Amino acid sequence: EGRTGEGRREESHVAMSEAKMETKEDYKPNGAVAKKIASVTPYFPFKGIKKFYDIGGFLKHPEIFQLVIDVYVERYKKIGVDSIAGFDARGFVIGPPVALALKKPFIMLRKKGKMPNSITGTEYGKEYAGKDVLSIPRGFVKKGDRVLLVDDLVATGGTLCAGIELVKLLGGVVVECACVVELKGLNARGKLDKMGYKDVPIWALMDESILTLDGLKAKDIDTTDYKDDGEAH
């Protein structure tokens, strides 16, 4: 009461500045910002997997989703990239806002048969089970382009290898594979090394050690009549 509109605007500006400073103080993997994001990212038994991590948790909270994007933008504006390629389908959620913020082209890595005028890679083993094939738009990567690969989660590394293969096929350089979550226990790093991609780093904001939100036990998550109705992954 009694505050002028100008006074309220100043207080709001200070609060926003403090929040911005807080989010920039610790962007390292499993750091303070990662823990904020992990606190709203639940796991469920799904597709036969005991802990299926659901990024829909942080997408529900715009301020937390913004933190995810801020971390990527801060990291890759320093490293420098020519374009950003996202994996079908959740890489399409993370990649475009990062690309827009950095003012870089976004490239869709889609499953075979989903995109015209594209180049198809070789068959690869998916993260948990089954086989698939990725494609990339023709002409979107030029020789020497520095390309960032983006996805929500890396498990076994099979999908990352397929994306790296396509970028290299077109003469591009994969600067890094960036994921919100890396399941360290599944050793994607070992998979990339085995496939001859030792030169490609994997960077993740967090790993399973801080993802402790059980979606079925969380009081603020409605799981009425929950059942695992997902197709085998």
Side-chain angles (χ1 to χ4, degrees), residues 1-15:
E1 282 184 304
R3 289 178 295 173
T4 66
E6 185 64 32
R8 285 193 293 272
R9 281 195 294 273
E10 287 181 1
E11 287 184 8
S12 176
H13 178 72
V14 169

Side-chain angles (χ1 to χ4, degrees), residues 40-145:
V40 294
T41 305
Y43 63 80
F44 297 92
F46 190 58
K47 299 186 180 184
I49 302 165
K50 289 182 179 180
K51 291 185 177 181
F52 186 97
Y53 298 98
D54 180 21
I55 69 164
F58 68 70
L59 296 179
K60 182 181 177 182
H61 302 275
E63 70 284 1
I64 301 296
F65 186 16
Q66 185 65 60
L67 281 179
V68 174
I69 303 307
D70 288 348
V71 172
Y72 276 73
V73 171
E74 186 71 13
R75 179 173 179 81
Y76 295 106
K77 73 181 181 183
K78 293 177 180 177
I79 291 176
V81 299
D82 294 311
S83 59
I84 296 168
F87 289 93
D88 193 348
R90 287 181 287 273
F92 298 171
V93 175
I94 307 295
V98 176
L100 285 172
L102 294 175
K103 294 182 170 50
K104 299 297 181 182
F106 179 73
I107 303 168
M108 294 189 295
L109 298 177
R110 298 210 67 187
K111 291 171 184 175
K112 182 181 178 181
K114 299 291 186 180
M115 186 165 54
N117 194 29
S118 59
I119 295 172
T120 300
T122 56
E123 187 179 72
Y124 68 96
K126 294 195 292 185
E127 293 300 282
Y128 296 101
K131 302 286 185 179
D132 221 328
V133 179
L134 283 181
S135 60
I136 189 170
R138 191 181 305 275
F140 274 46
V141 174
K142 305 295 185 185
K143 186 175 181 179
D145 279 359

